[in-house]
Every structure is written in structure tokens, then in C-alpha cells.
Amino acid sequence: MSVKLVAQENKSGDPDLAAQGFGCVKENGIKVFPVESDPADIYAFFEQNGFAVLSDSLGSEDVDFLNNFCDESQRRDPGVWGLSDKRKPHHRNQGLIFSQPLLDHPELDRFTRHPNSFPVVAHLLGGKEHVRFAEFNLRETPANSGVGAMNFHHDATIEDRFLRSPYLPCDYLCAIHYLSDVGEANPAFCVVPGSNKFETLKEAHDALGDDYQELPIRGAAGTCILYDTALFHTRLDGDGIQPRRTWHQYYARGGWLQSALPTTSKYRRSPSPVLTDWNLFPERLAMHENLEVRMFFSHWNTAQGEWAASGFDPEVRKAMPRGEQ
Ligand SMILES: [Fe+2]
């Protein structure tokens, strides 16, 4: 093991900000799949690494549509992006976020199962009947934001991932689509391949040895990154000047699966628990007349349960965190 434990440079000049990883950043190290690739090839890469990149998942019309949506919503209703006096505390120093745009914007519904990325998502989660919607948001690091020094972290995980066999399908999958070009000066999503099988980044670093890498993902607008939420990742700072815009969608695994643990011959993996206790699905999706769509939006948290029981009362929604939009 020859990689030295050197932290990534903290570009901010602020000693209180975290360094970003072990200084093992490798540029141009990413294998990229065109969307027409065989999902089996993408699956094999994902199984090994915990992520996969699709080069051209959104065409220019979709990229323009979503950028226009961002521009329009920022202009018309800046508060939903946190662009008001009461900036959203959960994303202070982490850029802007429009947290629940689906609530009031049915024009975005068609993106929730996008024809280019969804077949791959379905393959990775064990078939389209096992894919559940979890969260959809739009984010932006505006120009001249400075650097935020986000730490490497993983998102939601379930403990049995260390024991179950097979490991896949994973419990949650996130799809990040770049809505602006991401080059070397822009903030970049950055992953540690294979780190989803470890509890800490240090454990991954020690166990992976020479294979330990921090890979920034650069790509044109329309690029899609699919990752197991257990994978260590960060937003690697750019030069603090160049912006970045992204669309993030989280999926969960639904249904019961036969699996195995070392101590027992077999057990049934239950559907993944809800990802958040605040995310809400609008009535038109949660109560959709098409049962397939309704199943896709079936992972309700208690906030959603109460909102549905109230008849989707707007006052009940307003009382919830991030519901007042
Ligand atoms: Fe994250």
C-alpha cells in the first residue's frame, strides 16, 4: 500500500473547513457509458464500483427545459430556492436547493422515470416492479460561491449490506444529472469506487490500498451519474468561481427479496425504509389511477400518511418542514 495519507488541499483559506479526502484525486479515471449501452455491462461495472456514469442521458431539449424551469422558478418564486432573507438552514454553505418541485409542478412528472436512465435504474434495482420513488430536487452552486469543502460521506444505508449475499440490488440509488457542463474549474461530483462496502472512508482507504481513488466526474450537461447511496462521495470544489446546476433523484428498492446471511441460510429482504421523514408526494402521483404509478410512489413516510389522511389539505402541508413553498 503506497498511497500517502495526505489530505486534499483546503482551498478556502479557512482552517475550520474540512479537507476533502485523502488527496488521491485522479482526473480522467472514469469509464463512461453511452445510454444505448447494454444494461448488463453497466450492471457489471456498478456491481464492482458502486456507481456508473451515462454520458448523454438528457438530450439538449430536456437540459434546456430543466434549466428554463430553474431560471423561471428562481425569478418567479425565489423563496423556494432559499433565495430570500430566511435562507434554508439545511443548505447553508451548500448552495441552493429547490427541495420539492414535484409538489406543484406536474410538468416535471415525466422526468421521474426518464426513458434514458430509468431502464438502467430498473436493471440495477432488480426490475421495474421493484423501483420506488424517494426524492426529487434541483440544486445549484451559483457563480462566485467560493468553496464549501464538503466532506466525503455516504447517504442513507442499511446495516445488512455488510452481510447479505448477494449485495445487489442496493437499498437506494441516486441519479444526479448535470444540467450545466462540468469541467475542471466547476464543482464536481466525486466518488471513491468500491467504498460502498465499508463503514468509514479510512477503512475503505486502508482496505482498497492502491485501488483507493477519489474520482471527480466531469461531463457535459446531460451526463447522468447513478450511485449506490452507500458509496462515499462529495462535491469536490472547483475554483470557487464557476457554477454548477444539477437534478437529483433518489430511488428506493421495493418488494420482498430472497437473500442470505452467513449465519442463516435465507431471509427475506424487506422493502427499503423511507428515505426521509419529510418528503411529500402530491395527490396526483400518490393516488394515481394507474396502479403501476401508484406503486412507484408508494413509499410514504408518516408526514405523507397524515397529509393523505387530511385529504391533502394545503394547511397540513404548510405546517410541515419544506412544505411551505
Ligand atoms: Fe450525499
Side-chain angles (χ1 to χ4, degrees):
M1 219 300 282
S2 60
V3 180
K4 236 176 112 199
L5 281 168
V6 179
Q8 171 79 350
E9 181 191 0
N10 176 347
K11 296 177 187 168
S12 67
D14 179 348
D16 290 338
L17 286 180
Q20 297 183 295
F22 289 107
C24 303
V25 174
K26 187 180 170 203
E27 291 288 349
N28 308 313
I30 298 282
K31 178 173 173 54
V32 172
F33 293 90
V35 283
E36 67 272 14
S37 302
D38 184 341
D41 292 341
I42 301 174
Y43 187 94
F45 182 89
F46 188 97
E47 193 170 31
Q48 181 89 20
N49 297 285
F51 77 100
V53 182
L54 311 180
S55 59
D56 45 1
S57 183
L58 291 179
S60 56
E61 272 182 31
D62 283 343
V63 168
D64 290 348
F65 181 92
L66 289 170
N67 272 310
N68 286 337
F69 179 86
C70 292
D71 291 338
E72 265 299 291
S73 53
Q74 287 182 4
R75 190 187 55 76
R76 198 182 50 238
D77 203 0
V80 300
W81 282 89
L83 288 164
S84 60
D85 313 340
K86 46 171 194 168
R87 196 175 163 97
K88 292 176 183 175
H90 51 282
H91 279 277
R92 196 170 287 142
N93 296 329
Q94 301 294 347
L96 307 174
I97 181 168
F98 187 173
S99 201
Q100 303 200 72
L102 281 182
L103 281 179
D104 299 308
H105 295 281
E107 67 270 34
L108 299 175
D109 290 358
R110 66 187 174 93
F111 289 96
T112 60
R113 291 187 293 172
H114 192 277
N116 285 343
S117 54
F118 189 76
V120 183
V121 168
H123 203 83
L124 292 171
L125 286 176
K128 70 175 173 29
E129 69 278 17
H130 291 292
V131 187
R132 303 289 181 267
F133 176 89
E135 195 185 336
F136 182 115
N137 60 61
L138 297 161
R139 304 187 200 186
E140 180 172 331
T141 303
N144 302 308
S145 288
V147 296
M150 180 188 279
N151 269 325
F152 274 94
H153 64 280
H154 57 63
D155 304 331
T157 57
I158 296 177
E159 271 301 297
D160 81 353
R161 76 188 193 280
F162 296 124
L163 299 170
R164 70 184 182 230
S165 178
Y167 178 89
L168 288 179
C170 50
D171 303 304
Y172 307 97
L173 191 64
C174 182
I176 296 180
H177 281 84
Y178 286 162
L179 300 181
S180 56
D181 294 345
V182 173
E184 293 208 358
N186 304 84
F189 192 70
C190 182
V191 295
V192 177
S195 60
N196 46 338
K197 310 279 174 61
F198 299 95
E199 187 104 46
T200 67
L201 191 66
K202 170 104 171 52
E203 261 179 42
H205 179 270
D206 293 347
L208 293 171
D210 288 341
D211 289 335
Y212 177 92
Q213 292 176 332
E214 294 157 2
L215 299 185
I217 299 172
R218 320 279 181 194
T223 299
C224 173
I225 303 152
L226 298 169
Y227 70 94
D228 173 357
T229 56
L231 189 75
F232 280 91
H233 61 271
T234 190
R235 187 191 57 227
L236 194 68
D237 285 321
D239 61 4
I241 299 166
Q242 297 300 317
R244 189 191 73 177
R245 211 177 242 178
T246 43
W247 155 38
H248 299 236
Q249 183 167 337
Y250 294 84
Y251 302 88
R253 190 192 56 73
W256 293 79
L257 272 184
Q258 198 75 54
S259 196
L261 293 171
T263 49
T264 59
S265 52
K266 289 199 168 145
Y267 83 118
R268 304 279 282 175
R269 273 178 74 187
S270 57
S272 299
V274 288
L275 189 61
T276 74
D277 60 4
W278 52 264
N279 198 73
L280 298 174
F281 309 155
E283 183 173 11
R284 70 176 188 281
L285 299 174
M287 306 300 285
H288 201 283
E289 60 180 14
N290 180 321
L291 290 185
E292 218 180 276
V293 179
R294 211 189 296 181
M295 184 59 82
F296 181 53
F297 288 97
S298 65
H299 281 200
W300 293 10
N301 55 34
T302 50
Q304 174 75 24
E306 292 201 359
W307 192 35
S310 76
F312 294 89
D313 184 336
E315 291 306 314
V316 172
R317 171 183 150 183
K318 260 192 215 170
M320 294 179 185
R322 311 194 203 192
E324 195 175 10
Q325 295 190 336

